[in-house]
Amino acid sequence: MDQWFNLYRASHVLEAHAIKGALEVEGIAVRLNGEGLQSLIGELPVDLLQVTLMVPVEERSRASRVIERYQKRQGNGWMCGRCGEENSASFDICWRCGHDPEEE
């Protein structure tokens, strides 16, 4: 029997699908739990309408790194470890020196 891990609670179905796509690009299987409840908006408390992304237990570590990258992009930006330049959260690599923080 497959064991699944509750990886992330998305605040809405669009966020859930964006993250699901990022995980699938990495070859990680994903299940969405609660997606069908969106039709009950107004009938249920908002916290019950969140969509939970589930991944196989053995993929927990890799999937967590994908979530960390996603959350970093949602933040206010990041400081380059090589040149010290402040970068927008939307940049994957430093705009000034081309450094990739994922390689640190």
Side-chain angles (χ1 to χ4, degrees), residues 4-5 9 12 22 26-27 30 34 44 66 68 71 80 86 94-95 97 102:
W4 293 79
F5 172 75
R9 289 188 78 177
H12 49 77
E26 297 291 327
V30 184
L44 293 174
V66 172
E68 287 172 15
Q71 289 175 326
C80 179
E86 188 171 334
C94 178
W95 71 268
C97 71
E102 297 296 319

Side-chain angles (χ1 to χ4, degrees), residues 5-76:
F5 172 75
N6 289 339
L7 177 70
Y8 184 81
R9 289 188 78 177
S11 57
H12 49 77
V13 71
L14 293 176
E15 180 186 34
H17 278 278
I19 296 170
K20 180 179 185 277
L23 291 163
E24 289 174 338
V25 164
E26 297 291 327
I28 301 170
V30 184
R31 288 185 181 173
L32 298 180
N33 188 10
E35 181 179 24
L37 296 176
Q38 296 298 311
S39 63
L40 298 175
I41 290 176
E43 303 292 327
L44 293 174
V46 174
D47 62 333
L48 291 179
L49 297 176
Q50 293 177 329
V51 180
T52 302
L53 287 96
M54 301 167 61
V55 297
V57 171
E58 62 272 8
E59 295 286 9
R60 178 181 179 180
S61 179
R62 280 191 335 128
S64 292
R65 288 192 295 273
V66 172
I67 294 296
E68 287 172 15
R69 285 194 308 263
Y70 169 78
Q71 289 175 326
K72 186 169 91 174
R73 288 186 186 122
Q74 301 307 306
N76 295 323

